[in-house]
Amino acid sequence: MSPRKIVLGTILYPSGHHVAAWRHPSTQVDANIDVAHYIAAARSAEAAGFEIAFISDRLGVPKSRAEALRRVDEWSHGFEALTLASAVATATRTIGVVATASTTFSEPYNLARQLASLDLISNGRIGWNVVTSSLQQESDNFNPGPDFDHAARYARADEFVDAVLALWQSWNPDGFVRDKRSGVFFSPDAVRSVDHDGQYFRSKGPLNVIPSRQGRPLLVQAGSSDAGRALAARTADVVFTAQTDIVSARGFYQDIKRRRAIVGKSADEVLVLPGIFPVIGRTKAEAEDKYAALQDLIQPDVALALLETYLGDVDLSGIDIDGPLPALPVSNAIRSRQALLTELARKESLSVVALARRIAGARGHWQVIGTPEAIAGQIEDWAASGAADGFMLLPPTFPDGQDDFIDTVVPLLRGRGLLNPGPSTGPLRERLGLPTHAQNRRGDARNRA
C-alpha cells in the first residue's frame, strides 16, 4: 500500500519566522516592505510542489514594551494581507494563496466580494484564513463595535462565515450561457438572493462577483480553542494548528476529525496541517550551531514582548523572569496558544525568560533541529500515525531556511512517496481533494439548514 500524500504550505514572513531573523547576516534587512521578496518565496515553494503560500495579518501594533517593538521587523511590515495576496497570486501560476482576514472588524458582503474577486484573478487558487481579532490594540483601532469577549467573537465569526458562504452561493456558474445570438448572458436559475438576517449581520445579496472555477475560496481556520475547533469542524477545509509534539498533535487531529463526523461531514474533507519550524544541518551538531547563532541574536526585551503577545496580551513586567511562569488569568485573546505555552513551560520546567527564548522561533509550533534525513523521518512518522495531513513550513530565515527545506528535505519526502512529483495544476480545492463547486452548493446549503 503506497503512503498517503501530504500537503505542504509555507508561511510568507518578512525575514523569517525567528524573531531575530532580520539581524541574521543571510537575510534582507528591508524584506518587510519588498513585495519581490514575498513573490520570490512563493515561487520557490511553487516550483517545489507546495500547495499553499500562507499570508498572516493583524490589525494593530502591540503597545507593551515600546523599546522591544523598535527591535523587530514583523510589526512594521508594509502589506495588508489581501493586497499582498493579489500581488503573489498574479506572480504565480499553481500555488494556492491563503490570506488572513478578520471576522471581528469586517462585513461579510465586502469580504466575500474581495475574496471572490481574488479567486477569479488567481483562476481558483485563493483561500481565506478565518480569524477573530484577539488583541486589545486591534480593537482600539476601530469605532466601538462588537463585543470583544472570546465567546462573542466566535459567535460572530460563526455567523460571519455562514453569511459569506451564502453570498458565495449566489451564483451557479453552470448557468452562464453567454449566448450572443439570443442575447442571453445567464439563465434564470443562475442567480438567487441570499436574504441573510441574523444576530450580527444582514445581507440580501446576491453577491456581484461570480464564482471562480474552484467554486469558492478555500476556508482555513487556525484557532485551537474549543470554540475554534467547533468552528473549524463545521466550516473549515484546512485547519492550521500549533502543536509541540506528536502526542498532542495526534490528539488534536483525532478531535477535529471526530467533531467533523458529529456535524455530518466527511472527516476526509478537512485537512489538519501543523506548523513546523525546522533548522537543518548536514549533521545534528551543525543544525544546533545554526539554531544557536539565531538564538544569540535575541534581545531580552524582544523575547519577553513576544511571549506577552502569545500568552494572550498579558503584562509580565514586575515578575521574576528567572522564576517559573506565574498563574495567569484565562486569556480573552489567543486562548489556545496561552494554554499550549503554559503547558510547554510546565513540561520542560522553563523559567519565564527560558520560555520566551524557547518560543522565539517556533512560537509554540513544532520545532525540529537536525539533519534532513532525521527531519524527513519525523515528518513521515507524524503523517503515518494520524497526527497530520501535511505541514505549514515556518522558515527560520528567508530565503535560506525555506531553501534548505526545499533542497534537502523535500527530495527525501518525495523519494518516500509522500509528495507528488512536482507542481500540480487545477483549482486549489480540486488539488487538495476537496469538494467541487456543485458539491459545495449542496453541502453548504445542508450545513446552513
Side-chain angles (χ1 to χ4, degrees), residues 68-350:
L69 292 177
R70 297 176 54 237
R71 299 175 179 273
V72 294
D73 65 343
E74 62 189 81
W75 296 110
S76 58
H77 65 74
F79 303 106
E80 179 273 332
L82 297 181
T83 309
L84 182 57
S86 183
V88 172
T90 55
T92 54
R93 298 180 60 191
T94 62
I95 196 167
V97 182
V98 173
T100 299
S102 171
T103 62
T104 308
F105 301 110
S106 304
E107 285 287 327
Y109 192 91
N110 278 345
L111 188 55
R113 188 168 182 258
Q114 291 166 321
L115 289 163
S117 296
L118 282 173
D119 210 30
L120 284 173
I121 288 170
S122 68
N123 201 18
R125 294 185 288 121
I126 290 295
W128 170 28
N129 177 37
V130 183
V131 299
T132 69
S133 297
S134 58
L135 300 181
Q136 185 59 47
Q137 293 85 355
E138 295 176 290
S139 179
D140 291 344
N141 288 327
F142 295 87
N143 290 326
D147 188 345
F148 209 58
D149 174 74
H150 185 274
R153 290 202 321 270
Y154 271 96
R156 176 186 169 96
D158 213 53
E159 185 184 327
F160 193 112
V161 173
D162 278 351
V164 168
L165 287 172
L167 288 162
W168 282 340
Q169 297 295 326
S170 298
W171 294 91
N172 175 7
D174 296 331
F176 284 86
V177 295
R178 297 182 174 92
D179 187 343
K180 288 187 176 183
R181 292 194 62 180
S182 68
V184 175
F185 197 75
F186 57 84
S187 61
D189 62 350
V191 62
R192 65 177 178 83
S193 63
V194 172
D195 298 321
H196 178 89
D197 189 3
Q199 179 180 355
Y200 299 97
F201 306 105
R202 65 179 182 85
S203 183
K204 185 171 182 61
L207 196 67
N208 62 348
V209 181
I210 66 173
S212 78
R213 62 180 184 146
Q214 80 163 335
R216 64 165 170 82
L218 192 76
L219 288 187
V220 181
Q221 215 279 328
S224 295
S225 66
D226 188 68
R229 296 184 192 206
L231 178 63
R234 194 176 69 81
T235 65
D237 302 305
V238 170
V239 181
F240 172 36
T241 180
Q243 305 294 330
T244 59
D245 59 75
I246 191 171
V247 174
S248 59
R250 190 183 299 117
F252 179 86
Y253 183 97
Q254 292 172 350
D255 184 53
I256 290 293
K257 302 288 184 172
R258 177 187 61 81
R259 289 174 185 251
R260 188 74 163 187
I262 289 173
V263 298
K265 291 191 170 186
S266 169
D268 293 332
E269 292 178 5
V270 60
L271 305 177
V272 178
L273 307 184
I276 177 173
F277 177 88
V279 183
I280 305 166
R282 289 167 296 183
T283 64
K284 179 70 180 294
E286 181 180 89
E288 289 173 341
D289 287 345
K290 289 172 70 172
Y291 179 65
L294 275 169
Q295 292 292 93
D296 286 344
L297 298 175
I298 299 172
Q299 298 167 92
D301 259 10
V302 170
L304 288 169
L306 185 75
L307 179 61
E308 288 175 332
T309 298
Y310 279 87
L311 282 174
D313 218 10
V314 303
D315 182 3
L316 296 176
S317 57
I319 69 165
D320 178 12
I321 63 172
D322 293 315
L325 187 70
L328 300 171
V330 176
S331 172
N332 186 48
I334 316 175
R335 185 167 293 182
S336 59
R337 195 64 58 93
Q338 182 192 67
L340 184 149
L341 297 185
T342 301
E343 173 60 18
L344 181 64
R346 184 203 62 78
K347 185 169 62 177
E348 298 186 7
S349 301
L350 299 173

